Amino acid sequence: MIVRNFEYLLALYREGHYGNAARICNVSQPTLSSGIRQLEKDMGVEIVRHGRRYDGLTLEGYRVLALAQKMSDDCRALDRELAALRSGFEGELRLGIVPGTTSISPILSAALAEKFPLLQQTISTASPCSLLQGIKSNGLDVALMHLESTCMEDFDTRVLHKERLFLFGCFGLELPASVTWEDVLSRQLCLLASTFSVAVESRLEQSKMRSVVTDSVSVLVSHISTGRFFAVLPQSLANNFLHVANVRAVVITGTPSHCTIALVAGKNSFESASVRAFLEVASSPELAIPVRAIMSIHRRLRAKD
């Protein structure tokens, strides 16, 4: 009932006239007036300046009006979500990803498209800070990123999996089974921007040589193919090197050795219909098979036992 009375208040404020507001709400004027009085009783304040005619709202009335507007917006959003669920789930999912997840995101998108073909997907690539800002400003619904990238206090997170870090490059005839961070930092590196956790970034800052930094996977692959540069990357990106001659993958030992891939959304945003659908797909057992396949490609670039 209080929701209906909020609607009466919104209509009265918009129309500035009891009769017109009642007509908009499809009720009689006494019913609308009674609803406003009941709202004042429930709130314990005078909301409308009472007189023979409508004379505006009180100071407290404007506060109640703001609450009424928010509740009305929330109800409409809920109606849209429920309608989408009933009709086969239409709408849009705005996904942000860091460059280091570009091999995982197509697997998620394909599975989502198969289950919800009417859902429009928009995918953008950015740094962790930009993705979190996009979530805060409602420009993104959810982000696929490394859990260790930044402070997550103001966000909800769901861990998907962990990935091992590898050094990719042309090692020549003697291909080591593993390399230490000290060995990594002594090489000329080409780095994929916005890919690493804070711990990995701190390690890379200790590099003995200047690095080439790019936000493009194809540019990075081109640099590695020259034989001059090496790249530190999560294992899921190994598929980008299958067509490049002489490039091999060597596991990095020491700390850090892994990165955690997670979905990140605003507080309580996992309850929204589109994000909940995405989370459902991302967590489904069926998705484990293609994810394991992409995660195992690095073995084709490893040293033979």
Side-chain angles (χ1 to χ4, degrees):
M1 180 61 71
I2 194 171
V3 175
R4 186 59 173 164
N5 291 339
F6 275 152
E7 293 176 354
Y8 294 161
L9 177 61
L10 290 168
L12 179 60
Y13 177 73
R14 286 194 303 266
E15 299 298 322
H17 188 277
Y18 280 97
N20 292 344
R23 188 162 50 254
I24 291 295
C25 295
N26 293 314
V27 297
S28 66
Q29 184 171 327
T31 297
L32 184 136
S33 299
S34 176
I36 297 294
R37 286 195 299 272
Q38 184 61 50
L39 190 59
E40 291 179 322
K41 182 179 179 180
D42 292 339
M43 295 294 173
V45 296
E46 187 177 87
I47 297 174
V48 178
R49 293 193 183 97
H50 292 284
R52 296 186 62 184
R53 297 181 179 180
Y54 173 72
D55 192 29
L57 304 182
T58 63
L59 181 61
E60 295 84 356
Y62 280 105
R63 296 293 299 273
V64 177
L65 180 72
L67 177 62
Q69 186 61 62
K70 183 179 185 305
M71 184 172 289
S72 177
D73 292 341
D74 289 344
C75 287
R76 283 199 297 271
L78 179 60
D79 284 342
R80 288 194 298 270
E81 290 187 10
L82 294 176
L85 291 173
R86 289 192 299 268
S87 64
F89 196 65
E90 298 180 8
E92 180 183 15
L93 176 76
R94 300 164 301 171
L95 171 66
I97 65 173
V98 294
T101 62
T102 51
S103 292
I104 296 296
S105 58
I107 298 174
L108 300 177
S109 297
L112 188 65
E114 182 175 356
K115 188 163 187 178
F116 302 105
L118 300 180
L119 181 65
Q120 173 68 46
Q121 299 183 57
T122 303
I123 303 175
S124 56
T125 306
S127 68
C129 289
S130 296
L131 295 181
L132 296 181
Q133 185 56 45
I135 293 173
K136 282 185 176 181
S137 64
N138 199 34
L140 291 174
D141 297 310
V142 64
L144 180 66
M145 57 190 292
H146 299 116
L147 190 59
E148 310 93 341
S149 297
T150 186
C151 177
M152 297 294 180
E153 289 183 0
D154 298 328
F155 303 89
D156 285 342
T157 60
R158 295 292 188 278
V159 172
L160 297 183
H161 62 265
K162 286 190 174 184
E163 295 192 28
R164 189 74 192 241
L165 294 175
F166 283 84
L167 182 66
F168 294 87
C170 300
F171 290 87
L173 296 178
E174 296 185 6
L175 181 62
S178 64
V179 291
T180 64
W181 273 106
E182 287 70 23
D183 187 9
V184 171
L185 298 175
S186 68
R187 299 172 183 266
Q188 189 87 54
L189 299 176
C190 182
L191 303 177
L192 190 60
S194 305
T195 296
F196 308 106
S197 66
V198 174
V200 177
E201 290 281 6
S202 298
R203 275 287 199 177
L204 293 173
E205 288 174 358
Q206 303 169 22
S207 177
K208 297 177 175 62
M209 289 185 276
R210 290 287 185 180
S211 303
V212 175
V213 181
T214 178
D215 61 358
S216 167
V217 173
S218 61
V219 170
L220 180 138
V221 171
S222 296
H223 278 69
I224 304 307
S225 66
T226 66
R228 169 79 182 181
F229 299 93
F230 292 81
V232 176
L233 294 169
Q235 66 190 83
S236 63
L237 291 179
N239 63 311
N240 292 282
F241 297 99
L242 289 177
H243 67 285
V244 183
N246 302 320
V247 171
R248 295 292 180 263
V250 176
V251 66
I252 300 174
T253 60
T255 304
S257 60
H258 293 79
C259 57
T260 304
I261 308 301
L263 293 177
V264 180
K267 283 292 184 182
N268 303 316
S269 293
F270 282 123
E271 298 306 314
S272 70
S274 59
V275 178
R276 188 169 64 248
F278 188 57
L279 181 62
E280 176 187 334
V281 168
S283 305
S284 64
E286 295 82 4
L287 205 68
I289 296 175
V291 169
R292 278 200 298 267
I294 200 77
M295 297 274 281
S296 64
I297 288 178
H298 68 88
R299 295 172 183 166
R300 297 159 64 178
L301 303 175
R302 300 286 302 279
K304 300 294 188 295
D305 295 330

